PDB file of all heavy atoms in Angstrom:
ATOM      1  N   GLN A 258     -26.655  42.193  56.970  1.00  0.00           N
ATOM      2  CA  GLN A 258     -27.584  42.916  56.093  1.00  0.00           C
ATOM      3  C   GLN A 258     -28.996  42.331  56.172  1.00  0.00           C
ATOM      4  O   GLN A 258     -29.980  43.068  56.114  1.00  0.00           O
ATOM      5  CB  GLN A 258     -27.072  42.888  54.656  1.00  0.00           C
ATOM      6  CG  GLN A 258     -25.762  43.657  54.527  1.00  0.00           C
ATOM      7  CD  GLN A 258     -25.402  43.989  53.084  1.00  0.00           C
ATOM      8  OE1 GLN A 258     -26.233  43.898  52.185  1.00  0.00           O
ATOM      9  NE2 GLN A 258     -24.159  44.378  52.866  1.00  0.00           N
ATOM     10  N   LEU A 259     -29.096  41.021  56.345  1.00  0.00           N
ATOM     11  CA  LEU A 259     -30.433  40.403  56.457  1.00  0.00           C
ATOM     12  C   LEU A 259     -31.062  40.754  57.801  1.00  0.00           C
ATOM     13  O   LEU A 259     -32.265  40.991  57.902  1.00  0.00           O
ATOM     14  CB  LEU A 259     -30.329  38.881  56.296  1.00  0.00           C
ATOM     15  CG  LEU A 259     -29.972  38.414  54.883  1.00  0.00           C
ATOM     16  CD1 LEU A 259     -29.551  36.944  54.890  1.00  0.00           C
ATOM     17  CD2 LEU A 259     -31.152  38.615  53.933  1.00  0.00           C
ATOM     18  N   ASN A 260     -30.211  40.803  58.837  1.00  0.00           N
ATOM     19  CA  ASN A 260     -30.686  41.151  60.175  1.00  0.00           C
ATOM     20  C   ASN A 260     -31.263  42.568  60.208  1.00  0.00           C
ATOM     21  O   ASN A 260     -32.134  42.867  61.015  1.00  0.00           O
ATOM     22  CB  ASN A 260     -29.507  41.023  61.161  1.00  0.00           C
ATOM     23  CG  ASN A 260     -29.921  41.215  62.594  1.00  0.00           C
ATOM     24  OD1 ASN A 260     -30.627  40.395  63.155  1.00  0.00           O
ATOM     25  ND2 ASN A 260     -29.496  42.325  63.191  1.00  0.00           N
ATOM     26  N   ALA A 261     -30.774  43.420  59.300  1.00  0.00           N
ATOM     27  CA  ALA A 261     -31.208  44.826  59.292  1.00  0.00           C
ATOM     28  C   ALA A 261     -32.570  45.015  58.614  1.00  0.00           C
ATOM     29  O   ALA A 261     -33.134  46.108  58.657  1.00  0.00           O
ATOM     30  CB  ALA A 261     -30.145  45.675  58.591  1.00  0.00           C
ATOM     31  N   ILE A 262     -33.107  43.971  58.003  1.00  0.00           N
ATOM     32  CA  ILE A 262     -34.431  44.098  57.375  1.00  0.00           C
ATOM     33  C   ILE A 262     -35.485  44.285  58.471  1.00  0.00           C
ATOM     34  O   ILE A 262     -35.465  43.580  59.480  1.00  0.00           O
ATOM     35  CB  ILE A 262     -34.764  42.835  56.516  1.00  0.00           C
ATOM     36  CG1 ILE A 262     -33.770  42.718  55.357  1.00  0.00           C
ATOM     37  CG2 ILE A 262     -36.206  42.873  56.013  1.00  0.00           C
ATOM     38  CD1 ILE A 262     -33.910  41.429  54.541  1.00  0.00           C
ATOM     39  N   ASP A 263     -36.376  45.271  58.280  1.00  0.00           N
ATOM     40  CA  ASP A 263     -37.421  45.554  59.268  1.00  0.00           C
ATOM     41  C   ASP A 263     -38.358  44.366  59.433  1.00  0.00           C
ATOM     42  O   ASP A 263     -38.647  43.678  58.453  1.00  0.00           O
ATOM     43  CB  ASP A 263     -38.279  46.740  58.805  1.00  0.00           C
ATOM     44  CG  ASP A 263     -37.606  48.050  59.159  1.00  0.00           C
ATOM     45  OD1 ASP A 263     -36.712  48.028  60.035  1.00  0.00           O
ATOM     46  OD2 ASP A 263     -37.966  49.074  58.545  1.00  0.00           O
ATOM     47  N   GLY A 264     -38.862  44.166  60.649  1.00  0.00           N
ATOM     48  CA  GLY A 264     -39.876  43.130  60.863  1.00  0.00           C
ATOM     49  C   GLY A 264     -39.472  42.182  61.970  1.00  0.00           C
ATOM     50  O   GLY A 264     -38.298  42.115  62.352  1.00  0.00           O
ATOM     51  N   ASP A 265     -40.478  41.452  62.486  1.00  0.00           N
ATOM     52  CA  ASP A 265     -40.241  40.497  63.558  1.00  0.00           C
ATOM     53  C   ASP A 265     -40.128  39.109  62.920  1.00  0.00           C
ATOM     54  O   ASP A 265     -41.128  38.483  62.569  1.00  0.00           O
ATOM     55  CB  ASP A 265     -41.432  40.544  64.538  1.00  0.00           C
ATOM     56  CG  ASP A 265     -41.114  39.821  65.835  1.00  0.00           C
ATOM     57  OD1 ASP A 265     -39.929  39.483  66.057  1.00  0.00           O
ATOM     58  OD2 ASP A 265     -42.053  39.580  66.625  1.00  0.00           O
ATOM     59  N   PHE A 266     -38.903  38.646  62.715  1.00  0.00           N
ATOM     60  CA  PHE A 266     -38.702  37.323  62.110  1.00  0.00           C
ATOM     61  C   PHE A 266     -37.360  36.753  62.563  1.00  0.00           C
ATOM     62  O   PHE A 266     -36.497  37.486  63.047  1.00  0.00           O
ATOM     63  CB  PHE A 266     -38.779  37.403  60.570  1.00  0.00           C
ATOM     64  CG  PHE A 266     -37.674  38.204  59.930  1.00  0.00           C
ATOM     65  CD1 PHE A 266     -36.565  37.574  59.380  1.00  0.00           C
ATOM     66  CD2 PHE A 266     -37.728  39.603  59.876  1.00  0.00           C
ATOM     67  CE1 PHE A 266     -35.539  38.308  58.798  1.00  0.00           C
ATOM     68  CE2 PHE A 266     -36.708  40.341  59.297  1.00  0.00           C
ATOM     69  CZ  PHE A 266     -35.607  39.690  58.757  1.00  0.00           C
ATOM     70  N   TRP A 267     -37.251  35.436  62.419  1.00  0.00           N
ATOM     71  CA  TRP A 267     -36.008  34.757  62.772  1.00  0.00           C
ATOM     72  C   TRP A 267     -35.220  34.393  61.516  1.00  0.00           C
ATOM     73  O   TRP A 267     -35.813  34.110  60.473  1.00  0.00           O
ATOM     74  CB  TRP A 267     -36.320  33.450  63.517  1.00  0.00           C
ATOM     75  CG  TRP A 267     -36.562  33.615  64.986  1.00  0.00           C
ATOM     76  CD1 TRP A 267     -36.242  34.685  65.763  1.00  0.00           C
ATOM     77  CD2 TRP A 267     -37.170  32.652  65.851  1.00  0.00           C
ATOM     78  NE1 TRP A 267     -36.613  34.454  67.067  1.00  0.00           N
ATOM     79  CE2 TRP A 267     -37.182  33.217  67.142  1.00  0.00           C
ATOM     80  CE3 TRP A 267     -37.700  31.381  65.675  1.00  0.00           C
ATOM     81  CZ2 TRP A 267     -37.696  32.535  68.251  1.00  0.00           C
ATOM     82  CZ3 TRP A 267     -38.215  30.697  66.773  1.00  0.00           C
ATOM     83  CH2 TRP A 267     -38.214  31.275  68.047  1.00  0.00           C
ATOM     84  N   ILE A 268     -33.895  34.341  61.704  1.00  0.00           N
ATOM     85  CA  ILE A 268     -33.020  33.890  60.623  1.00  0.00           C
ATOM     86  C   ILE A 268     -32.268  32.651  61.119  1.00  0.00           C
ATOM     87  O   ILE A 268     -31.690  32.666  62.209  1.00  0.00           O
ATOM     88  CB  ILE A 268     -31.984  34.982  60.239  1.00  0.00           C
ATOM     89  CG1 ILE A 268     -32.691  36.268  59.791  1.00  0.00           C
ATOM     90  CG2 ILE A 268     -31.030  34.468  59.147  1.00  0.00           C
ATOM     91  CD1 ILE A 268     -31.757  37.474  59.657  1.00  0.00           C
ATOM     92  N   ARG A 269     -32.303  31.593  60.322  1.00  0.00           N
ATOM     93  CA  ARG A 269     -31.485  30.409  60.597  1.00  0.00           C
ATOM     94  C   ARG A 269     -30.625  30.144  59.378  1.00  0.00           C
ATOM     95  O   ARG A 269     -30.868  30.686  58.299  1.00  0.00           O
ATOM     96  CB  ARG A 269     -32.351  29.180  60.842  1.00  0.00           C
ATOM     97  CG  ARG A 269     -33.290  29.274  62.013  1.00  0.00           C
ATOM     98  CD  ARG A 269     -33.985  27.931  62.237  1.00  0.00           C
ATOM     99  NE  ARG A 269     -35.011  28.031  63.252  1.00  0.00           N
ATOM    100  CZ  ARG A 269     -34.787  27.968  64.566  1.00  0.00           C
ATOM    101  NH1 ARG A 269     -33.565  27.798  65.028  1.00  0.00           N
ATOM    102  NH2 ARG A 269     -35.771  28.068  65.427  1.00  0.00           N
ATOM    103  N   PHE A 270     -29.666  29.246  59.517  1.00  0.00           N
ATOM    104  CA  PHE A 270     -28.881  28.855  58.340  1.00  0.00           C
ATOM    105  C   PHE A 270     -28.391  27.433  58.481  1.00  0.00           C
ATOM    106  O   PHE A 270     -28.230  26.919  59.585  1.00  0.00           O
ATOM    107  CB  PHE A 270     -27.694  29.810  58.114  1.00  0.00           C
ATOM    108  CG  PHE A 270     -26.773  29.962  59.287  1.00  0.00           C
ATOM    109  CD1 PHE A 270     -25.727  29.084  59.503  1.00  0.00           C
ATOM    110  CD2 PHE A 270     -26.944  31.016  60.177  1.00  0.00           C
ATOM    111  CE1 PHE A 270     -24.881  29.222  60.591  1.00  0.00           C
ATOM    112  CE2 PHE A 270     -26.099  31.165  61.269  1.00  0.00           C
ATOM    113  CZ  PHE A 270     -25.066  30.273  61.476  1.00  0.00           C
ATOM    114  N   MET A 271     -28.166  26.789  57.352  1.00  0.00           N
ATOM    115  CA  MET A 271     -27.564  25.462  57.320  1.00  0.00           C
ATOM    116  C   MET A 271     -27.031  25.167  55.927  1.00  0.00           C
ATOM    117  O   MET A 271     -27.636  25.577  54.954  1.00  0.00           O
ATOM    118  CB  MET A 271     -28.535  24.393  57.801  1.00  0.00           C
ATOM    119  CG  MET A 271     -29.668  24.097  56.873  1.00  0.00           C
ATOM    120  SD  MET A 271     -30.929  23.081  57.603  1.00  0.00           S
ATOM    121  CE  MET A 271     -30.022  21.588  57.855  1.00  0.00           C
ATOM    122  N   THR A 272     -25.857  24.553  55.797  1.00  0.00           N
ATOM    123  CA  THR A 272     -25.074  24.025  56.888  1.00  0.00           C
ATOM    124  C   THR A 272     -23.753  24.770  56.988  1.00  0.00           C
ATOM    125  O   THR A 272     -23.234  25.234  55.986  1.00  0.00           O
ATOM    126  CB  THR A 272     -24.807  22.525  56.639  1.00  0.00           C
ATOM    127  OG1 THR A 272     -26.032  21.845  56.549  1.00  0.00           O
ATOM    128  CG2 THR A 272     -23.999  21.913  57.708  1.00  0.00           C
ATOM    129  N   SER A 273     -23.227  24.773  58.188  1.00  0.00           N
ATOM    130  CA  SER A 273     -22.004  25.480  58.479  1.00  0.00           C
ATOM    131  C   SER A 273     -20.885  24.452  58.588  1.00  0.00           C
ATOM    132  O   SER A 273     -20.959  23.564  59.417  1.00  0.00           O
ATOM    133  CB  SER A 273     -22.247  26.176  59.807  1.00  0.00           C
ATOM    134  OG  SER A 273     -21.256  27.048  60.107  1.00  0.00           O
ATOM    135  N   HIS A 274     -19.879  24.547  57.734  1.00  0.00           N
ATOM    136  CA  HIS A 274     -18.767  23.577  57.790  1.00  0.00           C
ATOM    137  C   HIS A 274     -17.757  24.068  58.831  1.00  0.00           C
ATOM    138  O   HIS A 274     -17.278  25.202  58.745  1.00  0.00           O
ATOM    139  CB  HIS A 274     -18.114  23.481  56.410  1.00  0.00           C
ATOM    140  CG  HIS A 274     -17.185  22.314  56.247  1.00  0.00           C
ATOM    141  ND1 HIS A 274     -16.145  22.073  57.121  1.00  0.00           N
ATOM    142  CD2 HIS A 274     -17.145  21.324  55.331  1.00  0.00           C
ATOM    143  CE1 HIS A 274     -15.508  20.976  56.736  1.00  0.00           C
ATOM    144  NE2 HIS A 274     -16.102  20.493  55.658  1.00  0.00           N
ATOM    145  N   PRO A 275     -17.389  23.207  59.795  1.00  0.00           N
ATOM    146  CA  PRO A 275     -16.490  23.651  60.868  1.00  0.00           C
ATOM    147  C   PRO A 275     -15.165  24.224  60.362  1.00  0.00           C
ATOM    148  O   PRO A 275     -14.602  25.110  60.997  1.00  0.00           O
ATOM    149  CB  PRO A 275     -16.238  22.371  61.675  1.00  0.00           C
ATOM    150  CG  PRO A 275     -17.396  21.487  61.359  1.00  0.00           C
ATOM    151  CD  PRO A 275     -17.831  21.815  59.973  1.00  0.00           C
TER     152      PRO A 275
END
Side-chain angles (χ1 to χ4, degrees):
Q258 295 196 15
L259 290 166
N260 186 68
I262 296 174
D263 277 341
D265 193 11
F266 66 99
W267 276 344
I268 301 169
R269 299 186 187 277
F270 55 86
M271 71 191 295
T272 300
S273 190
H274 193 307

